[in-house]
Amino acid sequence: MMPRSRLRSTPLSSRGASRQRRMLAVLGAVLVAAPLSSPAQPQTPGQPTRVAAGDDDARPIRLAEAVQQAQRNAPAVVQARGVERNAAAAGRSALAAYLPNLTLNAGSARTQGVQFFQGALVPLRGDPWNYNNGLAANVQLFDGNQRWNEISRSRATADAADAAVVQARFDAALQTKQQFYAAVAARESEAAARAQLEQAEQQLKASTARVAAGVATKSDSLRSVIQVGNARLAVLTAQNDLRVANAALTRVIGSQVLVTPAADDTVDTVNELPSEQELTQLVGRSPVVMQAEANLMAARASKRAQRSSFLPSLTMSYNYAYTQTSKTFSGSDLWLFSGGNPNRQQLNFNVSYPLFNGLVREQQSVQTDVLLRNAEAQLRDARLAARQNLTTQLRTLNNAQARVQIQQAAVAASEEDLRVQQQRYALGASTLLDLLTSQTQLNQARQALIQARLDGRIARAQLSALVGREL
């Protein structure tokens, strides 16, 4: 005969099992039916694919087109090109300083009325119209080579502006690549999250069935529900990251239309890097170093130009003035030069030498010397910083490439481990905790692979910006 306690517990267990199955069914239905922005499709984790959630309303754009558009629209590039134009105009002005300054003037006046003459008003006599023309020329014969030094300084400034334009273009390219690769990484993360969601949903179905069959505990199904929820949150997070990265990429390239990386753009197809010795030579002629060298040349030219203020200056000027009267107004008389009317010609030579100007020249000498010392220090630091950045970014790239290989092997091993654990769990040879541990390891390996790829792409872009050429 069955004990009374056993008889009482049997209906309670049946009712508890029924409630458990109903609760799991409701939770599973809620999680599976909760809308995502796009349907779950089989995707390869870590590979760029088009996801409708983050870029349905965005125009696909390739990396090369995005870089070109950024180099055309970036405010820093536009500003650098403006500085370059100003430097070119200053160079032309420095060359024109050797040419004489010419001034041409013409005027006309009409005079009439009466005046007192011996106590009586008498009308003014003579022609009422008066014309005057003039031509003036001024040229500096000697200024202590100040103009020549100014030409040297303007050329060095133009070289610095050219280097600044190159640096601004590669900085814009670097920012574009960073945002482009961030969007690609977000898309890869969504692919990995969808694979995680698919595995979690399959695990939920399996654990629910095992609980219903009485071969698993309620804890297994609840943990599977939690895994499904976490996977769905991972998908939503990746979709949000993709939207944010698309918006940042759109701003960087100056587009009026929302853009997103093209799904067929093979961003990992790159050329082989030059050797470290070749990179060291390239970084010695990088835009930053060339700009510092040009600034040093401009500072030296300014120092030489300032010394000319201690020398005398010689100036020659020529003036021609012509006057004419007429009874009527004639526009041609404004520009008529003839010898039949009063005229005056004057040629002047002027020598100037300031003996004392309140120590202004001495102050300017100190200022230019300080600027020269600063330019020398900046050039030295630019060369050292370029070498440091080359070492840092090259090691970062090598490390990222090694991490990619390691994480690829880790993903393959984790996938195989998860497959074995799923079979063992189905046969009852392992616990759900072992299976969840394998799933967590696979998810971490996928994310680490995505991060390693992103770090490697950005490190290569930083190297290209550093040396001033595409690698």
Side-chain angles (χ1 to χ4, degrees), residues 143-196:
D143 61 353
N145 288 334
Q146 184 175 2
R147 288 172 295 179
W148 177 256
N149 292 324
E150 182 63 23
I151 292 176
S152 300
R153 190 195 67 80
S154 61
R155 288 176 177 174
T157 303
D159 293 339
D162 294 340
V165 170
V166 175
Q167 183 63 39
R169 291 180 66 252
F170 276 94
D171 287 343
L174 175 59
Q175 295 178 9
T176 302
K177 291 177 181 178
Q178 288 175 335
Q179 298 301 332
F180 191 94
Y181 295 150
V184 172
R187 188 174 295 167
E188 293 175 351
S189 297
E190 182 173 359
R194 289 189 178 278
Q196 175 186 351

Side-chain angles (χ1 to χ4, degrees), residues 329-388:
F329 175 79
S330 175
S332 61
D333 291 335
L334 288 172
W335 308 104
L336 183 61
F337 294 89
S338 63
N341 291 281
N343 61 80
R344 183 179 62 180
Q345 303 180 30
Q346 185 177 7
L347 179 65
N348 296 326
F349 291 91
N350 183 35
V351 177
S352 174
Y353 180 70
L355 298 178
F356 180 76
N357 62 348
L359 299 179
V360 174
R361 290 176 297 181
E362 287 74 10
Q363 178 187 2
Q364 294 174 348
S365 177
V366 173
Q367 291 175 347
T368 54
D369 187 69
V370 170
L371 293 177
L372 178 59
R373 297 294 180 268
N374 292 341
E376 292 174 348
Q378 291 173 358
L379 175 59
R380 180 171 59 252
D381 182 71
R383 289 172 175 169
L384 294 176
R387 295 177 186 175
Q388 176 190 357

Side-chain angles (χ1 to χ4, degrees), residues 17 20-21 24-25 200-224 420-436 439:
Q20 177 181 340
R21 286 193 294 269
L24 291 177
E201 289 175 345
Q202 293 176 357
Q203 182 58 39
L204 176 60
K205 295 177 182 178
S207 60
T208 302
R210 286 173 61 84
V211 170
V215 295
T217 64
K218 178 181 177 181
S219 176
D220 289 4
S221 58
L222 292 177
R223 289 182 178 180
S224 298
V420 173
Q421 290 295 341
Q422 286 175 340
Q423 293 178 353
R424 287 173 55 85
Y425 180 72
L427 297 174
S430 65
T431 64
L432 181 63
L433 180 60
D434 297 331
L435 181 58
L436 296 180
Q439 289 179 349

Side-chain angles (χ1 to χ4, degrees), residues 232-256:
R232 297 181 74 84
L233 288 177
V235 173
L236 295 176
T237 300
Q239 291 174 351
N240 182 69
D241 292 341
L242 179 58
R243 293 187 182 96
V244 173
N246 288 342
L249 177 62
T250 302
R251 177 189 176 186
V252 166
I253 69 175
S255 174
Q256 299 299 322

Side-chain angles (χ1 to χ4, degrees), residues 254-325:
S255 174
Q256 299 299 322
V257 179
L258 184 66
V259 297
T260 188
D264 60 343
D265 194 356
T266 53
V267 295
D268 288 328
T269 303
V270 294
N271 301 324
E272 184 179 357
L273 280 178
S275 63
E276 187 170 354
Q277 183 178 4
E278 293 174 344
L279 287 174
T280 303
Q281 295 176 353
L282 289 175
V283 82
R285 302 302 301 167
S286 63
V288 174
V289 175
M290 294 181 63
Q291 186 177 2
E293 290 177 349
N295 289 333
L296 177 60
M297 296 299 296
R300 289 174 177 172
S302 298
K303 179 65 177 178
R304 292 192 299 268
Q306 193 279 328
R307 292 174 182 170
S308 62
S309 62
F310 291 91
L311 300 176
S313 61
L314 176 61
T315 305
M316 182 186 71
S317 61
Y318 172 78
N319 291 277
Y320 175 83
Y322 164 83
T323 59
Q324 176 186 357
T325 60

